[in-house]
Structure formats: structure tokens, C-alpha cells
Amino acid sequence: METLGIVFTELGEGFLRATMPVDARTHQPYGILHGGASVVLGETLGSSAGALVAGRDAAVVGLEINANHLRAIRSGLVIGTTRPIHLGRSTQVWEYRIADEEDRPVCIGRITLAVLPKPPGSGG
């Protein structure tokens, strides 16, 4: 997260939000936001929110992620927000929306997580 400049900005009722700069760290060769960087932001949001919901005795791991890239962006900041679709005992599904600073959609996607017992001695 530090490498790409991802910063959590808001935790609310039913959502988690973070920002990521669009700069040399997150550009693809044509100078626009790399789709993989958007997916990293989406997975960071979904997995982090999933871990908060699952609690201290569980671990969440990604099973599947998808993304639709809707708008090219060259600079500034993107804001990602994730919200739950399904919160089960063994799986969770989260949607994420990434927008530019004018709230225009840049990327939308979904991540499916497996909820597992936390291995003994794995820490906090």
C-alpha cells in the first residue's frame, strides 16, 4: 500500500474508502492509470473491509476479482469505495467503485473472499 500511496480515508456504516495518487508509481506505459493499480486498490479495500467484518479470529483471502475500466486518467487522485454485497460465514463478496476527484467513475469491480480460521500464531 505504501508503495502505491494508498491511504485509508474513511470507515463508515457499510463502507470503507481510500485514495491513491495517479502518478509515475501507478501509470502504465501510455501515461494513464494502470488497470492493475486500480485492481490493487480494489483488492486492498475489499480485503481490508472483509477482515474488519470477519473479526480477529478469522483471515480473509481473495478467491476472485474482476474490474471494468471505464475512464482513463493521467493525474490527480482516485477515490475507491467498497461496500458489501454478501457477508457469509465462509465467503464474502464486496463491490468497489473507483472515481476521479470529480466523482466520475474510473473503474468498478467485485472481489470474492474466503473466510478462514486464522492460523495459530499468525499474529494480529
Side-chain angles (χ1 to χ4, degrees):
M1 291 177 30
E2 284 182 36
T3 301
L4 296 182
I6 296 172
V7 175
F8 290 109
T9 58
E10 191 174 358
L11 173 63
E13 188 65 36
F15 74 93
L16 179 62
R17 185 165 291 135
T19 60
M20 182 177 69
V22 180
D23 59 22
R25 295 173 289 180
T26 56
H27 280 164
Q28 48 96 300
Y30 296 118
I32 60 175
L33 178 62
H34 195 294
S38 294
V39 172
V40 168
L41 178 56
E43 184 151 4
T44 298
L45 283 162
S47 294
S48 298
L52 289 171
V53 169
R56 296 182 81 87
D57 296 330
V60 296
V61 295
L63 292 176
E64 188 272 341
I65 191 164
N66 72 51
N68 293 98
H69 306 291
L70 307 173
R71 177 183 313 278
I73 181 171
R74 293 186 176 282
S75 62
L77 200 66
V78 289
I79 301 100
T81 304
T82 192
R83 298 179 190 281
I85 296 172
H86 167 76
L87 299 174
R89 286 190 322 252
S90 60
T91 61
Q92 298 178 6
V93 179
W94 293 81
E95 64 184 359
Y96 61 90
R97 179 182 188 272
I98 300 170
D100 66 12
E101 293 173 281
E102 296 174 23
D103 199 35
R104 296 178 299 186
V106 172
C107 178
I108 58 169
R110 186 180 61 247
I111 181 170
T112 303
L113 304 170
V115 181
L116 307 171
K118 188 173 277 186
S122 64

